mmCIF file of all heavy atoms in Angstrom:
data_model
loop_
_atom_site.group_PDB
_atom_site.id
_atom_site.type_symbol
_atom_site.label_atom_id
_atom_site.label_comp_id
_atom_site.label_asym_id
_atom_site.label_seq_id
_atom_site.Cartn_x
_atom_site.Cartn_y
_atom_site.Cartn_z
ATOM 1 N N ILE D 23 -76.644 25.176 -43.130
ATOM 2 C CA ILE D 23 -76.079 25.944 -42.009
ATOM 3 C C ILE D 23 -75.663 24.955 -40.933
ATOM 4 O O ILE D 23 -76.147 23.819 -40.884
ATOM 5 C CB ILE D 23 -77.053 26.971 -41.378
ATOM 6 C CG1 ILE D 23 -78.384 26.311 -41.055
ATOM 7 C CG2 ILE D 23 -77.219 28.197 -42.200
ATOM 8 C CD1 ILE D 23 -78.559 26.143 -39.609
ATOM 9 N N ALA D 31 -77.435 23.445 -21.981
ATOM 10 C CA ALA D 31 -76.388 22.580 -21.430
ATOM 11 C C ALA D 31 -75.238 23.451 -20.936
ATOM 12 O O ALA D 31 -74.692 23.246 -19.847
ATOM 13 C CB ALA D 31 -75.886 21.611 -22.498
ATOM 14 N N ASP D 58 -72.578 35.116 -21.573
ATOM 15 C CA ASP D 58 -71.780 36.246 -21.085
ATOM 16 C C ASP D 58 -72.204 36.623 -19.661
ATOM 17 O O ASP D 58 -71.367 36.895 -18.803
ATOM 18 C CB ASP D 58 -71.962 37.466 -22.004
ATOM 19 C CG ASP D 58 -71.426 37.205 -23.404
ATOM 20 O OD1 ASP D 58 -70.591 36.296 -23.552
ATOM 21 O OD2 ASP D 58 -71.850 37.900 -24.335
ATOM 22 N N SER D 66 -67.445 37.018 -10.784
ATOM 23 C CA SER D 66 -67.734 37.877 -9.624
ATOM 24 C C SER D 66 -67.578 37.135 -8.291
ATOM 25 O O SER D 66 -67.442 37.764 -7.249
ATOM 26 C CB SER D 66 -69.142 38.485 -9.733
ATOM 27 O OG SER D 66 -70.115 37.528 -9.359
ATOM 28 N N ASP D 94 -76.133 41.981 -10.340
ATOM 29 C CA ASP D 94 -77.506 42.327 -10.717
ATOM 30 C C ASP D 94 -77.983 41.688 -12.017
ATOM 31 O O ASP D 94 -79.142 41.298 -12.129
ATOM 32 C CB ASP D 94 -77.612 43.850 -10.817
ATOM 33 C CG ASP D 94 -78.905 44.315 -10.193
ATOM 34 O OD1 ASP D 94 -79.406 43.617 -9.281
ATOM 35 O OD2 ASP D 94 -79.434 45.344 -10.642
ATOM 36 N N ALA D 108 -74.149 24.389 -7.579
ATOM 37 C CA ALA D 108 -72.694 24.221 -7.701
ATOM 38 C C ALA D 108 -71.988 24.689 -6.426
ATOM 39 O O ALA D 108 -71.141 23.971 -5.871
ATOM 40 C CB ALA D 108 -72.187 25.000 -8.908
ATOM 41 N N ILE D 126 -92.690 33.335 -19.228
ATOM 42 C CA ILE D 126 -93.559 32.380 -19.930
ATOM 43 C C ILE D 126 -94.444 31.611 -18.958
ATOM 44 O O ILE D 126 -95.134 30.684 -19.336
ATOM 45 C CB ILE D 126 -92.707 31.387 -20.768
ATOM 46 C CG1 ILE D 126 -91.563 30.807 -19.935
ATOM 47 C CG2 ILE D 126 -92.181 32.051 -22.025
ATOM 48 C CD1 ILE D 126 -90.634 29.858 -20.671
ATOM 49 N N GLU D 139 -82.997 20.514 0.435
ATOM 50 C CA GLU D 139 -83.356 20.202 1.831
ATOM 51 C C GLU D 139 -83.203 18.712 2.115
ATOM 52 O O GLU D 139 -82.744 18.315 3.181
ATOM 53 C CB GLU D 139 -84.781 20.685 2.131
ATOM 54 C CG GLU D 139 -84.824 22.209 2.247
ATOM 55 C CD GLU D 139 -86.221 22.787 2.450
ATOM 56 O OE1 GLU D 139 -87.226 22.079 2.176
ATOM 57 O OE2 GLU D 139 -86.307 23.962 2.836
ATOM 58 N N ALA D 143 -79.649 20.555 3.514
ATOM 59 C CA ALA D 143 -79.470 22.014 3.552
ATOM 60 C C ALA D 143 -80.699 22.702 4.150
ATOM 61 O O ALA D 143 -81.809 22.164 4.112
ATOM 62 C CB ALA D 143 -79.230 22.541 2.137
ATOM 63 N N ILE D 164 -84.798 11.255 -3.611
ATOM 64 C CA ILE D 164 -85.614 12.441 -3.899
ATOM 65 C C ILE D 164 -86.554 12.116 -5.056
ATOM 66 O O ILE D 164 -86.113 11.644 -6.108
ATOM 67 C CB ILE D 164 -84.706 13.641 -4.284
ATOM 68 C CG1 ILE D 164 -83.794 13.990 -3.107
ATOM 69 C CG2 ILE D 164 -85.528 14.846 -4.717
ATOM 70 C CD1 ILE D 164 -82.520 14.705 -3.498
ATOM 71 N N GLN D 187 -75.082 7.893 -1.254
ATOM 72 C CA GLN D 187 -75.804 7.832 -2.532
ATOM 73 C C GLN D 187 -77.062 8.706 -2.563
ATOM 74 O O GLN D 187 -77.840 8.719 -1.602
ATOM 75 C CB GLN D 187 -76.197 6.376 -2.827
ATOM 76 C CG GLN D 187 -76.987 6.269 -4.121
ATOM 77 C CD GLN D 187 -77.218 4.849 -4.599
ATOM 78 O OE1 GLN D 187 -76.702 4.418 -5.617
ATOM 79 N NE2 GLN D 187 -78.025 4.112 -3.852
ATOM 80 N N SER D 193 -86.628 12.151 -12.759
ATOM 81 C CA SER D 193 -85.691 13.183 -13.207
ATOM 82 C C SER D 193 -85.979 13.536 -14.670
ATOM 83 O O SER D 193 -86.536 12.734 -15.422
ATOM 84 C CB SER D 193 -84.258 12.686 -13.055
ATOM 85 O OG SER D 193 -84.112 11.416 -13.626
ATOM 86 N N ASP D 239 -77.077 22.472 -30.202
ATOM 87 C CA ASP D 239 -78.331 23.009 -29.660
ATOM 88 C C ASP D 239 -79.536 22.478 -30.428
ATOM 89 O O ASP D 239 -79.789 22.841 -31.580
ATOM 90 C CB ASP D 239 -78.322 24.534 -29.699
ATOM 91 C CG ASP D 239 -79.377 25.130 -28.796
ATOM 92 O OD1 ASP D 239 -80.584 24.978 -29.099
ATOM 93 O OD2 ASP D 239 -79.011 25.732 -27.787
ATOM 94 N N GLY D 244 -83.921 22.852 -34.423
ATOM 95 C CA GLY D 244 -85.354 22.755 -34.702
ATOM 96 C C GLY D 244 -85.901 24.030 -35.306
ATOM 97 O O GLY D 244 -86.762 24.001 -36.198
ATOM 98 N N THR D 303 -97.030 19.982 -25.949
ATOM 99 C CA THR D 303 -95.639 20.041 -25.479
ATOM 100 C C THR D 303 -95.507 19.252 -24.184
ATOM 101 O O THR D 303 -96.386 19.270 -23.320
ATOM 102 C CB THR D 303 -95.159 21.489 -25.250
ATOM 103 O OG1 THR D 303 -95.897 22.055 -24.178
ATOM 104 C CG2 THR D 303 -95.334 22.332 -26.500
ATOM 105 N N PRO D 305 -92.293 17.101 -21.474
ATOM 106 C CA PRO D 305 -90.865 16.913 -21.230
ATOM 107 C C PRO D 305 -90.271 15.949 -22.269
ATOM 108 O O PRO D 305 -90.999 15.129 -22.849
ATOM 109 C CB PRO D 305 -90.811 16.288 -19.832
ATOM 110 C CG PRO D 305 -92.112 16.645 -19.196
ATOM 111 C CD PRO D 305 -93.115 16.726 -20.312
ATOM 112 N N PRO D 310 -90.857 19.562 -27.574
ATOM 113 C CA PRO D 310 -90.339 20.557 -26.620
ATOM 114 C C PRO D 310 -91.135 21.854 -26.583
ATOM 115 O O PRO D 310 -91.468 22.403 -27.637
ATOM 116 C CB PRO D 310 -88.913 20.850 -27.120
ATOM 117 C CG PRO D 310 -88.687 20.033 -28.322
ATOM 118 C CD PRO D 310 -89.949 19.349 -28.711
ATOM 119 N N GLN D 314 -92.401 25.334 -29.321
ATOM 120 C CA GLN D 314 -93.840 25.567 -29.527
ATOM 121 C C GLN D 314 -94.124 26.852 -30.309
ATOM 122 O O GLN D 314 -94.883 26.818 -31.293
ATOM 123 C CB GLN D 314 -94.519 25.529 -28.143
ATOM 124 C CG GLN D 314 -95.989 25.783 -28.134
ATOM 125 C CD GLN D 314 -96.277 27.229 -27.752
ATOM 126 O OE1 GLN D 314 -96.516 28.066 -28.613
ATOM 127 N NE2 GLN D 314 -96.263 27.513 -26.464
ATOM 128 N N CYS D 324 -100.095 26.870 -42.624
ATOM 129 C CA CYS D 324 -100.402 25.557 -43.206
ATOM 130 C C CYS D 324 -101.902 25.472 -43.521
ATOM 131 O O CYS D 324 -102.693 26.245 -42.990
ATOM 132 C CB CYS D 324 -100.023 24.452 -42.221
ATOM 133 S SG CYS D 324 -98.244 24.253 -42.060
#
Side-chain angles (χ1 to χ4, degrees):
I23 50 108
D58 296 339
S66 79
D94 222 28
I126 48 182
E139 287 176 342
I164 298 156
Q187 178 171 247
S193 50
D239 197 292
T303 66
Q314 178 261 99
C324 288

